[in-house]
Amino acid sequence: MGPAGFQTIVHADSSIHVLEQAVDCDVWDVLDIPITSSQVFLKDPIEEES
């Protein structure tokens, strides 16, 4: 298997704490696509009111 990406789901108080939580996580899914950067996606994004 060549270079692959990994993903995990963590619960964190803020985006700053996400990487700290991910480091301690022992459940990771292997993705079959190469990943070149780290990204954080919120489970329930807050929509801004105009």
Side-chain angles (χ1 to χ4, degrees):
M1 182 170 158
F6 299 90
Q7 74 176 359
T8 190
I9 298 173
V10 298
H11 298 279
D13 297 332
S14 68
S15 59
I16 296 170
H17 294 117
V18 169
L19 290 177
E20 294 172 2
Q21 295 292 332
V23 168
D24 292 332
C25 187
D26 59 356
V27 178
W28 288 83
D29 295 320
V30 178
L31 304 174
D32 60 357
I33 57 173
I35 303 297
T36 58
S37 64
S38 173
Q39 296 182 1
V40 175
F41 297 97
L42 299 175
K43 178 182 176 189
D44 298 314
I46 300 171
E47 294 183 22
E48 292 185 24
E49 294 183 18
S50 333

